[in-house]
Amino acid sequence: MEPTDKQESVFEGIAASPGIAHGQAFLLTHREITVPEYSISADKIDAEVDRLDNAIVKTRQQIQKIQNEIRGTIGEDEARIFDAHLLVLEDQALIGEAIRDMQTELSNIESSIWKIGHRYVEAFAQIDDEYLKERASDIRDVMRRLLSNLTGEQLQHLGEFVNNKVLVAHDVTPSDSASMDQANLLGIVTDAGSKTSHAVIVARSMNIPAVVGLGDITSKINQNAVILVDGYDGKVVVNPSEATLFRYGKLKDKKRSLEKRMIEYSKEASATRDGHPVKLMANIEKADEAERALELGADGIGLFRSEYLFMNTHKLPTEEEQFQAYRKAVEKMNGLSVTIRTLDLGGDKVFDSSEVSMYRESNPFLGYRAVRFCLDHENVFKAQLRAILRASAFGDVRIMYPMISGALELSQCNALLETTKNELRTEGIAFDEKIKTGAMIEIPSAAIAADTLVEGSDFFSIGTNDLIQYLIAVDRLNDRVAHLYEPTHPAVVRTLNMIVEAARKGKIGVSICGEVAGDPVMVPLLVGLGMECLSMSSTLLPNVKFVVQNMDMSEAKAIAKMALEETDGSVILEHLLDFYTSRMDQLY
Ligand code: PEP
Ligand code: MG
């Protein structure tokens, strides 16, 4: 696409899905259904309820159809996003209120359902919680579909008209992402949204570059304007000049060739230039991902986020279902270790079912989460421990407890594990008698008193995503305070050092499985501080391995020393960036 002679402008938002897209904008401005409003007589009430019932059935079928398509084309996890939509249709509070409104106001069902639905949307949208804000978008989406079925007015499907363009919209709903054809949609740019929006999750797995949270970008871009989306840096360039296009063309080529070369290097062993091994492992959410981890050179699975087996199902997975999933991952890893983290539900990962309810909390990250929930639901915890123990008969399995706040919790977890082992022994069921267990260190109290946790642990795994949010008091989901989320903050560096020291004194292993482990810029510092193992998303493994292979342990130690003495986090980061650039220069 040729550059235009119009003035170039650049907008900055949140880099939500990496990659670079360049093309014409498809501006989605209006897509609401016209809602008819009229009065009805009392004898028409039953007929209106019937109309609503029929529309609900039809809407459910449409959503299930989309869900099946997504399951076939993208994957099970993304398909499960639509479970939330199905739940809206079953929400008796919302539907019941709409019927009551129709009965008292004697208005047609469309106007009542729209009025009540709108009230719910606004209530959720005002809550300062990313997860609950997403519920507003789910309800809005389902309401539009329901109205379309009540009025017969057709909803526009994005896939039909985006066609090789960049979608520019206020928000992108999960239904929208279902109708996106990977080949047709170049990129996504939205006013609203965060890295955790459902649609963004789908965009990421479809490899569609996306920049979100731009405020009012829809009022600044004209239909068919030429735009460039930089999903690496969170920038949108409208009317890019020839110079900008040239620069981004080069960047795209460079990124592609670098990725290829680093994948080549990742086939070699993970050790520093002077021969110190550093284990690099993968974080996975489902067993199938183990294959990709192996392809990209993982030394094992450092974090299997088992709660994804529970999310969006609204039903507890059975011991057998869990066992099959864990065993699959263990067998795929072919003798390499697999660390299964016990359930970390709560926080942003809410689970609702008829068997257990987690309730909405005002401070979910400080609430009923992870082992706090598990120790309170012994049957759920035990079923999972049994499944993990059974899987341990098929390879090198380790158990890791999330959100340990102190020694008492750890000993309660271990006691339940011992009871579970005894039960399996009595039943004659095989498991690894030497199975290792570890505590995640992700709460400041656990970090400060790490020495008290050594006795009950074979290893520590540091969850920096949570540890940093709790240390600096910065919500990891809130983009308004994202600038304060600083992994090189002196408090973070010192805390990491304290944990390593406690592990060293207690003669147990120590690793990191938070996002910083996959940040190649942070790697020399983490290795220098004494981390023996880093665990990250598989796609990040090649770049991290390249850095490890191109540094000496003495350099890493010098960096750690500097970071421990320095009082300014931005200066530490500058040093790290300089070091990283010097290593990447070798690759160019
Ligand atoms: C962490 O907190 O760093 C971690 C790995 O766990 P999660 O991101 O799942 O909370
Ligand atoms: Mg965590």
Side-chain angles (χ1 to χ4, degrees), residues 341 344 349 369 402-403 440 442 463 465-467 476:
R341 173 171 77 182
D344 184 5
K349 295 174 233 160
R369 195 187 155 186
M403 295 286 290
M440 277 194 80
E442 49 185 349
N465 301 342
D466 280 310
L467 186 59
R476 65 192 258 195

Side-chain angles (χ1 to χ4, degrees), residues 150-163:
L150 279 164
T151 59
E153 201 180 317
Q154 284 296 308
L155 276 177
Q156 292 172 309
H157 289 292
L158 285 183
E160 292 162 18
F161 51 91
V162 171
N163 215 356

Side-chain angles (χ1 to χ4, degrees), residues 130 134 171-172 192-202 204 212:
E130 294 302 319
E134 284 307 312
D171 197 2
V172 180
S194 72
K195 280 190 182 186
T196 53
S197 308
H198 285 146
V200 166
I201 297 170
V202 176
R204 238 183 264 134
V212 302

